[in-house]
Amino acid sequence: MAGSHPAYADMPEDSIITNGFWLGKSAGFSIRPYRNADRAKIRHICCETGFLGNPIDAIFCDRELFADLMVNPYLDYAEDWAYVATHNGRVVGYLLGAPPSFDRYLVYAGSAATLRMLLKSVSGAYAHHPRSSQFVEWLLTHSFRERPRRPRQAAHMHFNVLPGFRGYGLVRCLWRAFEERLRKTDHPRYYGKLFSCKNHHPEHAYQRYGLGVHDRVKTTIFAGSVSEEVFNICVAKDLR
């Protein structure tokens, strides 16, 4: 989910720029703009990292609709704001961005995906996995109340990296590519959302890279699956 990323505390500073793209010094890694052929892989990575950096299946068993909810709106509305991280040509991470006008489209696209989830849930498609029906119920009844305030007229970003490829500086490089994109627009401010709990504080890593906490609210999205309190946090940065 947006913001459901582990803390990348060991992100190295070792990156260089080649032909306009950021490349980690570790062999085989690179950052490049999104291509249409990357869509299926991005959807897969989203599902592999959707539950606090782990696979979403424990929370919601319908990967197709989860990716429709979390990924498709970005790629349908602002694919030119997307970047991928690759290792020897394989997509292992992504950053999806969008301009401020995206917020209105996200409500529309998210509502459509949630409606499809609801129809499948009431038809009994998730009867074998009650936690999935609880997830749909949360989307319908609590998601809007449990989301933090976000800055006005700010661009948005959402990223994920596969577990085996964290700690190589890919997130830092994705951020740099995204911020360079933002500097060429009239939207110098951006935000992202994340989940934080007792043993999982990704906001600390964000703060090291200049993103401050804009707002935080307690959320029940993982109730029954995570024992401690979980907070939905909005972090933001102004590039001016």
Side-chain angles (χ1 to χ4, degrees):
M1 314 185 77
S4 57
H5 319 296
Y8 298 94
D10 56 345
M11 284 188 235
E13 298 286 343
D14 57 351
S15 59
I16 57 176
I17 301 177
T18 302
N19 296 328
F21 302 119
W22 282 268
L23 307 177
K25 287 183 179 178
S26 300
F29 290 105
S30 67
I31 305 297
R32 63 165 172 79
Y34 164 80
R35 302 168 184 163
N36 289 335
D38 301 325
R39 190 181 187 104
K41 189 58 180 179
I42 289 176
R43 287 168 57 89
H44 171 74
I45 295 172
C46 177
C47 294
E48 284 294 298
T49 57
F51 176 26
L52 297 176
N54 299 304
I56 191 59
D57 310 86
I59 302 297
F60 187 60
C61 65
D62 193 333
R63 286 190 164 211
E64 288 299 310
L65 280 182
F66 183 75
D68 286 351
L69 175 70
M70 301 304 302
V71 171
N72 283 15
Y74 293 92
L75 299 182
D76 291 344
Y77 188 81
E79 66 176 24
D80 58 324
W81 287 64
Y83 295 88
V84 298
T86 70
H87 180 251
N88 293 330
R90 173 193 174 194
V91 176
V92 298
Y94 65 81
L95 186 149
L96 307 180
S101 56
F102 173 69
D103 286 341
R104 292 189 297 273
Y105 180 76
L106 183 60
V107 172
Y108 163 76
S111 297
T114 301
L115 177 60
R116 294 197 299 274
M117 291 178 179
L118 175 62
L119 293 176
K120 291 191 70 171
S121 182
V122 298
S123 73
Y126 306 141
H128 67 291
H129 195 265
R131 187 63 181 81
S132 293
S133 295
Q134 294 173 22
F135 178 77
V136 177
E137 181 181 358
W138 180 85
L139 286 173
L140 291 167
T141 61
H142 292 85
S143 61
F144 282 94
R145 295 202 304 268
E146 296 179 5
R147 66 179 182 178
R149 292 178 296 106
R150 56 192 184 275
R152 296 171 62 97
Q153 292 302 308
H156 180 57
M157 68 92 173
H158 153 69
F159 70 86
N160 276 306
V161 174
L162 286 173
F165 297 92
R166 297 167 185 165
Y168 289 95
L170 296 179
V171 176
R172 176 186 290 276
C173 294
L174 285 166
W175 261 333
R176 286 177 175 172
F178 175 66
E179 289 187 349
E180 183 65 23
R181 172 73 168 78
L182 280 179
R183 289 189 176 96
K184 297 176 181 178
T185 72
D186 295 325
H187 312 296
R189 196 177 194 191
Y190 71 94
Y191 74 95
K193 290 189 287 184
L194 56 95
F195 294 112
S196 178
C197 57
K198 182 179 179 180
N199 297 313
H200 177 81
H201 294 289
E203 68 274 24
H204 295 168
Y206 280 78
Q207 289 170 336
R208 293 212 328 259
Y209 305 123
L211 287 93
V213 173
H214 184 77
D215 191 28
R216 59 188 291 149
V217 296
K218 184 178 177 181
T219 180
T220 58
I221 184 174
F222 302 126
S225 301
V226 176
S227 58
E228 63 253 27
E229 290 185 333
V230 179
F231 293 88
N232 193 355
I233 298 178
C234 175
V235 292
K237 181 177 181 179
D238 196 327
L239 297 175
R240 289 174 293 190

